[in-house]
Amino acid sequence: MSDIKIKIIDREGVSHEVDAPTDMNMNLMEVVRSYELAPEGTIGICGGMAMCASCQCYVQSDHKLPEMSDDEEAMLSEAFNVKDNSRLGCQLHITEDLDGLEVELAPEEA
Ligand code: FES
């Protein structure tokens, strides 16, 4: 089992440094949920299908991330609070390349 470190700033502005496993086929949204960094029902609403944007986050470190899929791009073009560094957490798979990643959760859409 190999873990990477990810820094996640929650919606209250509190920073959490968490370990995320690279061998469990997880994505960033699932990591946030597993550490309960956002209340149940406010993140991962579509189950990771790039269809709700509840998992939007702002990537603050300069990691080279996988290209956005058309679905992710389309969803972010409709979402609120989108910034240049927005990504959908559910579309970011936990791999060793993401070690040291720093993200901030986007505000909940209301
Ligand atoms: S969980 Fe719905 S878009 Fe990521």
Side-chain angles (χ1 to χ4, degrees):
M1 167 130 173
S2 58
D3 284 354
I4 59 168
K5 299 258 184 232
I6 300 182
K7 191 168 126 188
I8 301 169
I9 300 172
D10 68 22
R11 291 176 178 145
E12 318 287 314
V14 181
S15 165
H16 306 265
E17 177 140 306
V18 303
D19 293 322
T22 57
D23 56 359
M24 287 179 64
N25 199 21
M26 283 179 93
N27 61 52
L28 184 60
M29 174 274 282
E30 292 167 332
V31 171
V32 172
R33 286 176 62 126
S34 70
Y35 283 97
E36 299 180 358
L37 300 182
E40 192 61 43
T42 67
I43 187 167
I45 293 167
C46 74
M49 307 286 288
M51 287 171 61
C52 71
S54 66
C55 63
Q56 185 190 168
C57 57
Y58 307 124
V59 178
Q60 297 183 328
S61 50
D62 54 8
H63 283 69
K64 181 143 179 42
L65 299 172
E67 299 271 313
M68 285 195 209
S69 65
D70 291 347
D71 287 347
E72 181 175 2
E73 225 165 300
M75 188 64 240
L76 282 173
S77 71
E78 292 171 17
F80 296 102
N81 306 307
V82 174
K83 301 185 188 176
D84 285 349
N85 58 348
S86 288
R87 291 296 300 252
L88 295 178
C90 69
Q91 302 301 302
L92 294 177
H93 289 275
I94 303 301
T95 62
E96 278 164 28
D97 293 345
L98 297 192
D99 192 26
L101 186 74
E102 297 183 16
V103 299
E104 179 182 0
L105 301 184
E108 196 183 338
E109 289 189 6

